[in-house]
Amino acid sequence: MFMKKIESYFSDNLKMPLKDLYDLPSSAKTFPSGAHYRMEIAGVETAEIFEVMAKEAQNKKLPVHRVIGTVGGSALLETAELKHYAQIGAGLKTEVVLNPVPSRGWDLGRQYITPEGFVSGMRIRGQDNLYMWLKEFDRCLNAGIRGFLICDEGLLEVVCKMRQDKVIPSDVVFKVSVFAGHANAASARLLERLGADSFNPLADLPLPMLASIRGSCNIPLDVYMSIVDSMGGHQRNLEADEIARICAPVYFKYEPGKNEADMYNSWRDPTYHKFLIKEKIRYACIAREWCEAAGKALVFNDNTDDLSVPKP
């Protein structure tokens, strides 16, 4: 009875697709200076691994625009190392996005890592944990970090309001993590309205779903091109050119490996991380080759003055 009104409301008022876009329209949006896609390397857990990544990227002549680090929590780094991490990012003119505190079931609550707990999504439990996040956030800011990973919409609203009210620096950016569990156009628009600067949808979305999300928000999308085996292990480099065309502006994101529990715990093996970081750079080079060979005039390494580079 109400469906015709609902359909009209989506198209006329919300300006949002009601269904996934199977016609796969090209995105008319880009990064500020014209790029369709950029490279994001995740799981850069320590300054030592950051240096290995930087050297490998230089050897491969691959620009890395953004690094997602300390997925296991920046609280696992000493302050001196945190400052060194910021200095590396500043020297490379690479945007650095850190996760401040251990999460994903490494705090007191363990429901998330039970066999059925994955459906809960990641959220901060209680104000004490939110307060601890903010304390570590402050330490990262003082070390010069300007990018942060967010998986809780309430926290996102709070920190974006603080940025608006000049409580924190205006150049701080917030990326919504895949672990927030969002996967549709309405959610993307909500996150943008709350102040998110980029958005990582669930890793297994097909192209029509990604197209509907792109058609409803303006912030960059962060799309997994490679993901750990425990979350599906899929590889999407063969779709690199289509993802760049449909999702622009988009960060290609790489996170191969066995599982996140082994990769991001507090006693991780640096040897394993050094191997993985080189693999991530290699995969990113392959994606660039696919995009360059596609004949779709896809722009990659543009002027990157819009990146929130650390300020140590």
Side-chain angles (χ1 to χ4, degrees):
M1 183 184 302
F2 292 99
M3 198 61 206
K4 288 191 179 299
K5 287 185 177 180
I6 291 172
E7 291 175 352
S8 296
Y9 188 75
F10 264 76
S11 61
D12 300 339
N13 295 73
L14 295 180
K15 308 296 183 186
M16 181 187 300
L18 186 59
K19 300 179 71 175
D20 297 325
L21 301 182
Y22 288 88
D23 58 336
L24 303 180
S26 296
S27 170
K29 301 161 187 173
T30 65
F31 287 99
S33 55
H36 296 88
Y37 70 107
R38 289 176 176 172
M39 293 300 179
E40 171 184 305
I41 302 297
V44 185
E45 294 299 279
T46 65
E48 180 184 17
I49 298 301
F50 202 170
E51 289 175 335
V52 172
M53 188 221 79
K55 184 176 180 180
E56 189 69 11
Q58 184 179 25
N59 289 342
K60 299 280 191 180
K61 296 181 173 56
L62 177 79
V64 174
H65 301 88
R66 185 164 70 180
V67 157
I68 309 299
T70 67
V71 178
S74 63
L76 296 173
L77 303 187
E78 297 175 69
T79 299
E81 183 177 9
L82 193 58
K83 290 181 178 179
H84 182 38
Y85 198 114
Q87 289 168 350
I88 296 170
L92 295 172
K93 296 184 178 179
T94 296
E95 184 169 284
V96 170
V97 176
L98 297 189
N99 179 42
V101 297
S103 52
R104 259 191 312 302
W106 288 314
D107 69 352
L108 182 63
R110 305 290 288 174
Q111 178 180 340
Y112 179 76
I113 60 171
T114 63
E116 293 184 314
F118 68 92
V119 300
S120 303
M122 280 181 58
R123 300 295 183 273
I124 291 179
R125 298 171 62 254
Q127 289 302 102
D128 284 352
N129 278 325
L130 190 145
Y131 175 68
M132 285 190 284
W133 191 100
L134 291 171
K135 284 180 65 177
E136 180 60 19
F137 175 56
D138 173 65
R139 191 171 76 111
C140 291
L141 287 175
N142 290 329
I145 301 299
R146 289 295 180 266
F148 297 90
L149 201 61
I150 300 276
C151 63
D152 186 295
E153 298 87 344
L155 175 61
L156 176 64
E157 183 178 41
V158 167
V159 291
C160 289
K161 186 70 164 59
M162 290 196 299
R163 179 175 60 184
Q164 177 183 322
D165 292 341
K166 304 187 187 307
V167 177
I168 59 175
S170 61
D171 60 345
V172 172
V173 297
F174 299 109
K175 164 191 161 80
V176 176
S177 169
V178 67
F179 290 103
H182 293 290
N184 60 63
S187 291
R189 185 171 292 182
L190 169 66
L191 298 172
E192 183 175 40
R193 188 164 67 245
L194 289 175
D197 297 287
S198 71
F199 160 48
N200 198 153
L202 288 183
D204 60 351
L205 301 189
L207 296 180
M209 291 184 182
L210 291 174
S212 68
I213 290 172
R214 168 45 68 218
S216 301
C217 70
N218 296 309
I219 56 177
L221 301 183
D222 315 320
V223 175
Y224 274 101
M225 307 299 285
S226 172
I227 195 167
V228 292
D229 293 348
S230 62
M231 292 177 65
H234 56 258
Q235 309 293 327
R236 300 188 75 165
N237 267 349
L238 285 168
E239 296 181 294
D241 57 316
E242 281 292 88
I243 290 173
R245 179 183 68 82
I246 294 164
C247 298
V250 59
Y251 284 98
F252 289 174
K253 180 180 177 72
Y254 293 89
E255 203 161 17
K258 181 181 177 183
N259 59 59
E260 295 220 336
D262 287 345
M263 290 165 61
Y264 300 131
N265 59 47
S266 58
W267 44 267
R268 54 190 170 259
D269 182 357
T271 304
Y272 181 46
H273 272 252
K274 289 177 183 178
F275 162 73
L276 281 180
I277 208 72
K278 292 180 179 180
E279 285 297 281
K280 293 170 188 178
I281 295 297
R282 187 172 69 85
Y283 290 178
C285 288
I286 295 169
R288 179 177 59 178
E289 289 178 355
W290 274 104
C291 289
E292 289 176 346
K296 296 177 182 176
L298 297 170
V299 180
F300 171 46
N301 191 35
D302 63 336
N303 183 331
T304 54
D305 291 341
D306 59 300
L307 296 175
S308 286
V309 174
K311 294 182 177 177

